[in-house]
Amino acid sequence: MRYKKMSHDGIEKAKLEDLPRILQIYASARKFMKQSGNPKQWGDSFPPESLLVKDIEKGQLYVIKDDTGIHGVFAFIIGKEPTYEKIEQGAWISDTEYGTLHRVAGDGTIHGIFDKIVDFCGRKIEHLRVDTHEQNRIMQHLISRNGFQKCGIIHVLDGTPRIAYERLKE
């Protein structure tokens, strides 16, 4: 497969009319996660459409697009993340206001999507947090490559553990 490189960040807030394409991207991402040894993180149905609609309505779901269409999606929320209140096997680096990256997915046709997301979010707030499943080796690599430090373990709403990361701009 040949990857395209995006020339600009191409990131904008998602709209309800983007939902069919967003759902396709998440379906593709779930399939890829299963094929790459991470079948449990999103299972067969995460994120649910109802959550994505809420994210769009709150203005916290973003799409990554170029002249051929939407190729990625993610949620970005500035403020306290309830599942980050308790961290085990470590500690957060800072308790200043932060932004959290959630539900990052790409369609596999554009290289460097996570790098673009981190750059975009880092321009909005310098303190970022993200988490991922222990089986999601690809995301762990991307997170570390983008300057995040492993801080410990948090538990998401269904009680399952996630590796938690944080990045502070110096």
Side-chain angles (χ1 to χ4, degrees), residues 16-143:
L16 285 173
E17 57 263 28
D18 297 331
L19 204 51
R21 177 64 181 140
I22 289 168
L23 291 168
Q24 287 177 340
I25 290 170
Y26 280 120
S28 174
R30 285 190 299 269
K31 181 178 177 186
F32 177 77
M33 289 165 86
K34 287 177 184 175
Q35 291 170 343
S36 59
N38 181 21
K40 295 180 181 174
Q41 184 171 353
W42 285 355
D44 294 324
S45 60
F46 190 84
E49 185 172 346
S50 59
L51 177 60
L52 299 172
V53 168
K54 284 180 193 167
D55 282 342
I56 291 169
E57 290 170 347
K58 290 179 180 177
Q60 60 193 29
L61 194 71
Y62 293 83
V63 293
I64 301 145
K65 62 195 303 188
D66 65 10
D67 55 354
T68 65
I70 297 172
H71 300 285
V73 61
F74 66 100
F76 181 59
I77 302 137
I78 295 176
K80 288 199 182 295
E81 162 58 58
T83 61
Y84 288 2
E85 293 296 313
K86 183 179 179 192
I87 186 166
E88 300 170 349
Q89 301 174 34
W92 295 113
I93 300 165
S94 172
D95 61 0
T96 60
E97 185 178 45
Y98 58 89
T100 305
L101 287 65
H102 279 307
R103 300 182 281 287
V104 174
D107 67 1
T109 65
I110 294 195
H111 216 54
I113 280 183
F114 189 71
D115 300 352
K116 296 225 177 265
I117 291 169
V118 171
D119 181 61
F120 173 83
C121 295
R123 284 185 268 132
K124 295 197 175 294
I125 188 166
E126 293 182 340
H127 184 184
L128 300 174
R129 290 181 180 175
V130 66
D131 64 83
T132 195
H133 195 279
E134 67 178 349
Q135 293 177 337
N136 196 338
R137 303 276 186 233
I138 294 168
M139 185 57 91
Q140 289 173 44
H141 169 75
L142 294 173
I143 290 168

